[in-house]
Amino acid sequence: MGGGASTTPTPSAKVSAIFIYPIKSCRGISVSHAPLIHTGFRWDRKWMVVNPHGRMYTQRVEPRLALVEVELPSEAFLENWEPTQESYMVVKAPGMQALKVCLSKQEQEVADAVTVWEWTGSAWDEGAEASQWFSDYLGKPCQLVRFNTASEVRKVDPDYVKGQHDTLFTDGYPFLLASQESLNALNEHLKETISINRFRPNILVEGCEPFSEDIWTEIKISKFSFFGVKLCYRCKMPTINQGTGIAEPETNEILMKTRSGEIIRPNDKNKKKVYFGQYMTWNWTEFSAERSGKIIEVGDPVYVLRKVSSSAEAAA
């Protein structure tokens, strides 16, 4: 046989679902495809509910946010689509009339000193109607704000990521990736199976070994390079039933027995932290000059280019 044939690499997994969470800590949207921008998926965590001091409300303290549904126009997930005055985000919740938030740029008041963890900056105030809607729903003063991309930049943690990587109102990084097999492995220990929506990933993959995503340091999804940043430390949110907004402690009890630092990272100091999924960035500078084609789709192959040997060696 001739020696000139090149071998096509075999995918290690494929993308089985894509989720975008327009309002931080509210319900996600499952989509068949999503445009990539330098901060992550377009529309992801672009909005956030805050208290009168600009501090974020999340399901950690307001679990009823799990019941807030968010709808965007289907064309919002087309590449290079621009909203008009008639383009709206529609927000729904039990016992509430639907709230419509205009997606096109309008004259908006600025909300100063909006805070996500270590970051503080200005944001756009979505107005009195949106503030009243969330205040009525949660029973306390609220404001809905939109990330001010015109004047604000939120860098990811330079201790974990080198280069030009920004994010919006995420907990810290542009993407969270998990595998269906990891969820299946967890469900084997639970009395009642849970959905992946407890863990709020952006990218769900399938076809790999359970928790193999822990050790991926560089992967390719379709033609796009993604880099593993660090394992995702889980707070109480995986305990919150996303259909009821009620906490069910068993999830974290099982995670503590199977996915604690003590179990998977025995030499690490964070023995009592539990981990599920890995944060990712993507190499957007490689495609910064291209005006189209920056889309991830369900079914895209996932190629593992680099990995470490165990979860204990992964960053966390």
Side-chain angles (χ1 to χ4, degrees), residues 258-277:
T258 60
R259 295 287 299 166
S260 70
E262 196 161 17
I263 303 295
I264 69 168
R265 302 176 59 76
N267 298 322
D268 201 31
K269 62 182 183 294
N270 296 314
K271 303 283 194 226
K272 299 302 179 186
K273 285 189 174 183
V274 296
Y275 302 94
F276 191 101

Side-chain angles (χ1 to χ4, degrees), residues 65 137 260:
L65 287 172
Y137 179 65
S260 70

Side-chain angles (χ1 to χ4, degrees), residues 1-253:
M1 291 181 63
S6 62
T7 57
T8 304
T10 304
S12 297
K14 70 174 183 179
V15 176
S16 57
I18 295 170
F19 302 99
I20 292 171
Y21 308 87
I23 304 176
K24 185 177 181 68
S25 246
C26 296
R27 275 194 189 165
I29 302 172
S30 178
V31 295
S32 62
H33 59 274
L36 291 162
I37 59 175
H38 77 281
T39 55
F41 284 133
R42 189 179 185 189
W43 309 112
D44 192 54
R45 276 80 166 204
K46 195 173 178 74
W47 289 267
M48 181 171 66
V49 183
V50 298
N51 71 12
H53 304 290
R55 295 193 179 92
M56 62 182 178
Y57 280 132
T58 74
Q59 288 184 37
R60 297 172 184 90
V61 291
E62 296 295 340
R64 290 181 70 228
L65 287 172
L67 307 183
V68 177
E69 294 182 53
V70 184
E71 298 172 2
L72 290 175
S74 58
E75 59 268 27
F77 302 103
L78 299 175
E79 203 172 19
N80 302 319
W81 177 78
E82 290 301 329
T84 70
Q85 292 288 339
E86 302 303 312
S87 305
Y88 294 95
M89 175 173 67
V90 180
V91 187
K92 300 176 180 178
M96 302 290 294
Q97 296 287 326
L99 169 70
K100 294 173 76 174
V101 178
C102 186
L103 293 177
S104 66
K105 290 177 183 174
Q106 302 167 295
E107 290 297 319
Q108 291 173 292
E109 295 290 324
V110 172
D112 290 315
V114 167
T115 302
V116 182
W117 301 120
E118 76 303 328
W119 179 87
T120 300
S122 70
W124 297 114
D125 177 3
E126 288 293 6
E129 184 184 0
S131 293
Q132 192 63 53
W133 192 96
F134 278 98
S135 299
D136 291 345
Y137 179 65
L138 292 181
K140 57 183 65 176
C142 294
Q143 190 177 15
L144 180 67
V145 297
R146 184 189 315 209
F147 197 95
N148 183 356
T149 50
S151 68
E152 298 293 337
V153 173
R154 184 169 171 237
K155 298 284 185 193
V156 301
D157 188 339
D159 289 343
Y160 287 94
V161 178
K162 305 304 177 201
Q164 295 293 314
H165 291 283
D166 310 335
T167 188
L168 301 185
F169 290 137
T170 67
D171 270 356
Y173 302 94
F175 301 94
L176 177 63
L177 181 145
S179 73
Q180 182 65 43
E181 285 75 14
S182 300
L183 180 67
N184 296 347
L186 176 64
N187 274 328
E188 287 177 9
H189 298 278
L190 294 171
K191 295 187 187 76
E192 292 189 21
T193 60
I194 61 173
S195 166
I196 197 63
N197 62 13
R198 298 274 188 115
F199 296 98
R200 302 175 68 81
N202 297 107
I203 302 169
L204 185 68
V205 302
E206 67 179 16
C208 56
E209 291 297 312
F211 305 109
S212 57
E213 66 269 28
D214 285 5
I215 65 173
W216 297 346
T217 55
E218 183 180 357
I219 64 173
K220 217 158 199 168
I221 300 178
S222 182
K223 62 183 178 180
F224 305 104
S225 296
F226 288 77
F227 300 96
V229 173
K230 62 183 292 196
L231 302 186
C232 180
Y233 152 61
R234 309 312 308 214
C235 57
K236 67 176 282 188
M237 280 182 63
T239 68
I240 299 167
N241 185 317
Q242 298 296 295
T244 65
I246 297 170
E248 299 168 350
E250 189 199 9
T251 305
N252 275 14
E253 290 167 5

